Amino acid sequence: MGGHLLEIGAGPGAATPELRRRVPRVTSLEYDHAFAARLAQKIGKGAGVVQGDAAALPFPDRTFSSAVAILMLHHLRSSARQDRAFAEVHRVLQPGGRFLAFEVPDGWFNRVIHTNSTFVPIHPETLAARLTAAGFGGVTLDQRPGGFRFRAARKN
Ligand SMILES: C[S@@+](CC[C@H](N)C(=O)[O-])C[C@H]1O[C@@H](n2cnc3c(N)ncnc32)[C@H](O)[C@@H]1O
């Protein structure tokens, strides 16, 4: 994961402490102001928690060695915004930087549990083309019952 990881859509921070144990520096981005404020309080001073939108990342080009999005992409309002987020992640990664994401598939169960929130499922078979269009290479996909993860790398 390199020296500086971007965690996108950190929410209440379920994964944040573990990521911080594994990587020297983590910046956690969260769209929801209340979640972001609570997470900053939980992690402590100089926490590196930033309120912002995955589709308009508030960071300079080539800032991070890696980026992770855990159960966040389906919360973006449209597939166009997901593609915008892919392009933004690519922009803020350093050459060779890795992007890793975990997602849930489309299906009645995931639609029901998102009745009161946004659910724009990512269709795994579209990922290679979408990530390639955003500039990524080395796309790999690992599908399991109930979820899938994918990886991609910024080429240069
Ligand atoms: C299901 S939660 C996952 C939280 C955390 N990654 C985890 O696995 O516990 C999705 C999070 O994505 C955040 N989110 C939604 N839209 C976002 C956006 N445009 N940019 C950044 N975060 C966003 C939500 O506020 C929410 O906290």
Side-chain angles (χ1 to χ4, degrees), residues 129-155:
R130 294 174 70 184
L131 290 162
T132 302
F136 286 101
V139 179
T140 62
L141 174 66
D142 180 14
Q143 286 183 269
R144 309 271 171 102
F148 60 94
R149 66 181 175 185
F150 60 90
R151 295 166 210 246
R154 176 170 172 156
K155 288 180 278 190

Side-chain angles (χ1 to χ4, degrees), residues 60-121:
D61 297 357
R62 303 180 177 210
T63 300
F64 301 97
S65 53
S66 55
V68 65
I70 304 170
L71 301 174
M72 186 283 300
L73 290 162
H74 62 263
H75 283 280
L76 299 179
R77 289 192 304 273
S78 65
S79 54
R81 285 199 78 77
Q82 292 167 348
D83 288 339
R84 184 73 215 135
F86 292 154
E88 280 290 88
V89 174
H90 182 271
R91 179 183 67 74
V92 302
L93 280 175
Q94 295 155 2
R98 297 273 178 169
F99 176 38
L100 172 67
F102 294 85
E103 273 303 317
V104 288
D106 196 4
W108 70 266
F109 178 76
N110 286 319
R111 286 187 179 258
V112 168
I113 63 171
H114 288 91
T115 302
N116 294 318
S117 67
T118 306
F119 184 56
V120 178

Side-chain angles (χ1 to χ4, degrees), residues 8-12 14 29-32 35 52-54 70-72 75-76:
I8 309 167
L29 181 96
E30 171 53 44
Y31 188 72
D32 183 279
F35 274 150
D53 181 1
I70 304 170
L71 301 174
M72 186 283 300
H75 283 280
L76 299 179

